[in-house]
Amino acid sequence: DGGITQSPKYLFRKEGQNVTLSCEQNLNHDAMYWYRQDPGQGLRLIYYSQIVNDFQKGDIAEGYSVSREKKESFPLTVTSAQKNPTAFYLCASSIVRTAHAVEQYFGPGTRLTVT
Amino acid sequence: AQSVSQHNHHVILSEAASLELGCNYSYGGTVNLFWYVQYPGQHLQLLLKYFSGDPLVKGIKGFEAEFIKSKFSFNLRKPSVQWSDTAEYFCAVNPPSNTGKLIFGQGTTLQVKP
């Protein structure tokens, strides 16, 4: 089955700890994205990558870091510098087409709770 | 600031009622538009999209949306909702000259009563 997997589904951490969220895709997509979903705020873009070994900050990158060493994988680290890390995190992927946008495909999400 | 706005945050309808969810954006130029749906416990999935051509776009499960350029709007409609349409709906815009990014609205929670 082709798709995007995110693990774990639920994650609990103590304040002050860094935590890494996994995102893997087998759709052969070049582009991958990380969003944060909070009630009443929709999805906000954290980071995105359109090619291996390259990534760009989204609208709310502060306190987060990413890497893109492999096409299939785009892990997100929530650092202790993120002031409000408790949220639902969604990973997405898409092909890259220069003429216009294409739809993004989403994973099931990871719900992170930091106490 | 440039943005995407969904006017209704929470909508409650009875089965067979008609649905219209508003979406407005503030970007000038050529945009690409999307509606996504998130059913309870499921992945976010694409309902429909507009890139060019006929401004009335048909999507899955009987949904449609109309792009009105002069009003910067892309409202989602369904003539007769079902209980299974209960979900959260997100409008998203790909801003001009940026093929990668999607800017999402705040989302609308639709509750359909049987």
Side-chain angles (χ1 to χ4, degrees):
Chain A
D1 270 339
I4 301 173
T5 56
Q6 292 184 245
S7 60
K9 189 172 181 179
Y10 298 97
L11 191 53
F12 298 89
R13 280 293 183 270
K14 295 288 187 186
E15 197 173 312
Q17 293 179 334
N18 291 355
V19 58
T20 297
L21 281 59
S22 165
C23 177
E24 304 277 332
Q25 56 98 0
N26 61 4
L27 299 168
N28 200 32
H29 286 168
D30 286 306
M32 296 186 74
Y33 311 83
W34 273 105
Y35 294 90
R36 172 184 171 134
Q37 184 178 2
D38 296 283
Q41 297 193 55
L43 278 71
R44 292 179 292 167
L45 183 65
I46 304 172
Y47 267 98
Y48 66 105
S49 167
Q50 294 193 307
I51 196 169
V52 174
N53 291 323
D54 189 40
F55 47 83
Q56 286 77 42
K57 292 182 179 180
D59 300 315
I60 55 164
E62 186 174 348
Y64 299 98
S65 65
V66 293
S67 62
R68 188 85 188 277
E69 296 176 2
K70 297 187 299 182
K71 186 176 183 177
E72 307 80 30
S73 179
F74 191 40
L76 173 75
T77 297
V78 184
T79 75
S80 56
Q82 168 50 234
K83 294 177 182 176
N84 187 20
T86 294
F88 189 52
Y89 290 88
L90 285 167
C91 179
S93 72
S94 74
I95 64 173
V96 175
R97 186 180 294 160
T98 55
H100 54 68
V102 294
E103 61 265 34
Q104 295 179 13
Y105 295 81
F106 285 82
T110 292
R111 189 166 297 281
L112 173 65
T113 302
V114 176
T115 57
Chain B
Q2 296 183 316
S3 66
V4 180
S5 297
Q6 292 182 239
H7 317 299
N8 318 99
H9 296 295
H10 196 166
V11 173
I12 302 173
L13 295 173
S14 298
E15 275 195 316
S18 64
L19 170 72
E20 181 160 2
L21 300 182
C23 174
N24 284 89
Y25 61 92
S26 60
Y27 299 91
T30 302
V31 294
N32 301 297
L33 300 153
F34 306 79
W35 275 98
Y36 281 85
V37 61
Q38 191 173 35
Y39 296 105
Q42 294 189 28
H43 298 199
L44 202 68
Q45 58 185 281
L46 183 71
L47 264 182
L48 47 78
K49 61 188 179 186
Y50 173 79
F51 288 165
S52 64
D54 188 344
L56 185 61
V57 180
K58 295 196 183 297
I60 61 171
K61 304 187 180 187
F63 285 90
E64 64 179 30
E66 185 175 13
F67 170 52
I68 303 180
K69 189 173 182 179
S70 61
K71 295 185 178 180
F72 297 86
S73 70
F74 190 56
N75 292 355
L76 181 71
R77 300 195 294 246
K78 186 170 184 179
S80 175
V81 295
Q82 300 172 316
W83 175 79
S84 58
D85 293 322
T86 294
E88 191 159 16
Y89 293 80
F90 295 94
C91 178
V93 173
N94 169 245
S97 304
N98 191 317
T99 56
K101 291 176 66 172
L102 287 182
I103 309 300
F104 283 82
Q106 306 94 319
T108 297
T109 300
L110 172 65
Q111 182 182 352
V112 180
K113 294 183 175 180

